[in-house]
Amino acid sequence: MIRNFSQQRDLFESERSFRLLVEGVADYALYMLDPNGIITSWNIGGERIKGYTPAEILGQHFSRFYTETDRANGKPARALGIARNQGRYEEEGWRVRKDGTFFWASVVIDPIYEGGTLVGYAKITRDITERRNTQLKLEAMQTQLAESQKFDALGQLTGGVAHDFNNLLMIISGSLHILKKGDVDDPKFQRAILAIETASKRGAALTGQLLSFARRQSVNPQPIHFADRIAAIREVLHAGVGSAVRLAFDIEHDVWPIKADVSELETGLLNLVINARDAMPDGGTVTIGARNTVLDDPLHSGEFVAITVADTGLGIPSDVVDKIFEPFFTTKPVGKGTGLGLSQVHGFAHQAGGTVKVASELGKGTTFTILLPRETASMPSEAPEPTPARGSGTVLLVEDNPDVAIVSTGLLEQLGYHVRRVADAEAALRELEHNGVDFVFSDIVMPGKMDGLGLAHLLRQTHPDLPILLATGYSEVAAGVRGDFPILRKPYEIHELSEAISKLPR
């Protein structure tokens, strides 16, 4: 008997201590609900957080803590249902105090069973309004910082692009002046032509960098003989390093073929060569090399071709090396670089299934190594640049830019075609009502109610036998064609135009 009394007393004391603990917690509202959601107990934390005394709230339904919208949507009953069916309900949301003010609450509801029967719910509520406000302020500051960084990056980008394009325009305009005044047999005449060709390729490469950064550059991987590719762009690379820097080559015999986008590869090499040139203000040597290698690491294993671009320049400080592949990062003065060159190289290498590494020592130079997987498929023979084929007939050129139209007309006339030019789709339709042509060559992006793609689809209905060739400089626009029509990407050369025309159905 004494033992039973002692056990009952210990149980009473334990329950009393637990009740005092629960009732004394001020930071949490800890209270019980019956199976229908009626409040059956209340602690000091509930009074502090929600404003109700035990006399005011006991016997009331817990839904009064919810907003009118939540009550109308049945959220209180849904919370009890989830707790009953899933064993727990947990959320954050707005709750209402006695005085009508709102606070952001962290809520937990647990079902309480006795002998397998639901007898009620234990509910814990915490006021985390201050923490939420702090988090929102932090997110707002982070957003503000990101916007600030974005504008800084855009300013750096536009300054660098403007500088690069102004240099290209200076090369072109100065060379054109030489061509106008010069003699065809004068060596200066040929150098001017080469300078214009180099500037145009550099301009296309710079545009490619921007499109790659915007993820709008289409990728066309194909097997490449690296040594043959270097031979094809050797003059452009020489022009890229300038006269104060020596360009050397160390390409091993029988280097394996690789598979990559030719334009991206050439752009990447040109970026590395120009970077190397800028790292040697007093002159030096840039060496382009290639060798076969076998890798065995978790990320890249197998047969690769290691393409290196090494300089004898200033080197890269150790605190900068980890940042050099980040978009917009550059150590060059404002307006002297876009900060996109090395990020393009990094993106190209990884897109091709490889990687890029850098080794540098201050005062002794830098070596960039692009590792690209070996192409194991049979390689097509490297054909020389095709000679444009002569054609005949009449073409309707649809081009809104008058300067581009002059160039396109000149190329078409060199190929032997008679050209009729209109500036928009509506004018093209009117022209075709009165005059027949052998094919239509249209830009896609044009002003007016109908663009070049819309014109092509309409002509396919009204003139189903009329060949149509489209052109654009926008990769995302080209993607929208989805193979419905042949498309020529700007800038194009005369042999590319000739080849595209030759493939048109006749």
Side-chain angles (χ1 to χ4, degrees):
M1 185 74 178
I2 296 174
R3 184 178 179 182
N4 289 339
F5 176 77
S6 175
Q7 289 176 337
Q8 289 178 351
R9 185 184 63 187
D10 291 344
L11 180 62
F12 174 79
E13 288 297 328
S14 176
E15 290 176 346
R16 179 173 176 272
S17 297
F18 181 73
R19 187 173 64 253
L20 290 173
L21 173 65
V22 170
E23 291 176 351
V25 174
D27 290 338
Y28 293 83
L30 305 174
Y31 54 98
M32 296 288 293
L33 308 176
D34 73 6
N36 297 315
I38 301 300
I39 300 168
T40 59
S41 72
W42 195 246
N43 78 331
I44 191 172
E47 184 173 348
R48 186 187 70 81
I49 293 172
K50 301 189 178 184
Y52 296 94
T53 65
E56 293 172 320
I57 201 63
L58 291 176
Q60 302 295 318
H61 197 272
F62 86 109
S63 61
R64 69 165 47 203
F65 304 137
Y66 285 74
T67 65
E68 289 185 12
T69 302
D70 286 345
R71 288 200 299 270
N73 291 334
K75 191 170 185 179
R78 192 161 57 250
L80 294 184
I82 292 173
R84 182 175 59 252
N85 296 328
Q86 300 183 10
R88 186 180 183 85
Y89 176 79
E90 191 169 357
E91 72 142 352
E92 291 184 6
W94 290 113
R95 295 295 185 269
V96 185
R97 296 187 180 93
K98 175 184 174 181
D99 61 6
T101 58
F102 292 82
F103 69 99
W104 189 259
S106 170
V107 176
V108 177
I109 303 176
D110 288 304
I112 305 298
Y113 291 91
E114 189 173 24
T117 302
L118 179 70
V119 296
Y121 300 90
K123 193 166 186 299
I124 304 174
T125 302
R126 186 183 182 191
D127 182 356
I128 58 171
T129 307
E130 185 176 343
R131 188 181 79 182
R132 180 174 183 268
N133 289 340
T134 301
Q135 181 65 28
L136 291 176
K137 288 179 182 177
L138 178 61
E139 290 175 358
M141 290 173 61
Q142 289 173 336
T143 301
Q144 212 170 23
L145 176 62
E147 288 294 313
S148 174
Q149 290 173 333
K150 181 174 72 174
F151 281 115
D152 286 345
L154 286 174
Q156 186 173 342
L157 171 65
T158 52
V161 169
H163 173 268
D164 282 4
F165 269 117
N166 279 336
N167 279 345
L168 298 176
L169 293 173
M170 183 65 237
I171 293 169
I172 293 171
S173 62
S175 299
L176 287 174
H177 181 75
I178 294 173
L179 293 179
K180 288 178 182 179
K181 303 293 184 181
D183 183 352
V184 177
D185 297 326
D186 190 335
K188 292 181 181 179
F189 193 93
Q190 296 302 321
R191 285 199 297 270
I193 293 176
L194 177 60
I196 292 175
E197 181 182 8
T198 301
S200 66
K201 288 183 180 293
R202 177 59 184 148
L206 184 57
T207 304
Q209 290 176 0
L210 297 173
L211 292 173
S212 294
F213 176 72
R215 293 181 173 86
R216 292 178 178 174
Q217 178 68 53
S218 60
V219 176
N220 179 30
Q222 54 188 287
I224 299 172
H225 283 294
F226 184 73
D228 294 338
R229 200 68 246 153
I230 285 293
I233 63 170
R234 186 181 290 253
E235 291 298 326
V236 175
L237 295 173
H238 273 290
V241 298
S243 58
V245 173
R246 175 176 171 264
L247 185 62
F249 298 92
D250 183 19
I251 300 172
E252 291 186 358
H253 183 61
D254 291 335
V255 169
W256 293 323
I258 55 176
K259 189 171 185 178
D261 184 290
V262 174
S263 176
E264 288 283 281
L265 173 64
E266 293 178 358
T267 299
L269 288 172
L270 190 56
N271 283 331
L272 291 178
V273 165
I274 290 174
N275 260 34
R277 176 202 66 192
D278 293 342
M280 299 182 292
D282 298 324
T285 300
V286 177
T287 304
I288 297 176
R291 58 182 173 81
N292 299 329
T293 186
V294 178
L295 301 182
D296 183 18
D297 65 60
L299 295 178
H300 301 93
S301 61
E303 296 178 330
F304 283 72
V305 173
I307 300 168
T308 57
V309 178
D311 65 61
T312 56
L314 301 174
I316 304 173
S318 57
D319 60 330
V320 170
V321 169
D322 292 338
K323 303 177 183 178
I324 59 174
F325 294 115
E326 295 177 5
F328 303 116
F329 180 81
T330 179
T331 57
K332 299 175 184 178
V334 174
K336 297 295 184 181
T338 62
L340 289 177
L342 292 179
S343 68
Q344 180 274 334
V345 175
H346 183 272
F348 153 69
H350 284 265
Q351 202 167 37
T355 187
V356 59
K357 300 180 179 181
V358 58
S360 185
E361 187 175 349
L362 286 179
K364 295 187 178 180
T366 301
T367 299
F368 285 92
T369 302
I370 302 175
L371 292 158
L372 299 178
R374 177 185 181 180
E375 170 60 28
T376 56
S378 57
M379 286 286 296
S381 58
E382 187 80 12
E385 187 174 289
T387 302
R390 294 286 297 176
S392 62
T394 301
V395 54
L396 178 62
L397 174 65
V398 190
E399 172 60 67
D400 63 295
N401 187 306
D403 295 323
V404 174
I406 290 173
V407 173
S408 299
T409 298
L411 294 176
L412 287 165
E413 288 177 344
Q414 283 188 49
L415 293 174
Y417 296 99
H418 175 68
V419 181
R420 288 208 293 270
R421 181 247 172 175
V422 293
D424 54 53
E426 290 77 9
L429 294 174
R430 290 194 298 269
E431 176 69 23
L432 290 172
E433 287 179 3
H434 302 97
N435 300 293
V437 297
D438 293 288
F439 68 93
V440 173
F441 182 32
S442 176
D443 191 21
I444 293 181
V445 179
M446 293 184 297
K449 298 179 181 178
M450 186 185 302
D451 63 8
L453 184 57
L455 172 64
H457 282 297
L458 181 58
L459 290 179
R460 177 161 286 179
Q461 297 175 10
T462 59
H463 299 72
D465 298 325
L466 182 61
I468 302 167
L469 176 62
L470 298 177
T472 187
Y474 295 88
S475 292
E476 67 273 24
V477 172
V481 177
R482 301 191 306 273
D484 295 337
F485 300 94
I487 186 166
L488 195 58
R489 298 176 188 273
K490 297 178 180 176
Y492 51 82
E493 297 185 14
I494 189 168
H495 69 274
E496 295 172 320
L497 175 60
S498 173
E499 182 181 3
I501 294 173
S502 69
K503 292 180 180 179
L504 292 176
R506 299 288 176 158

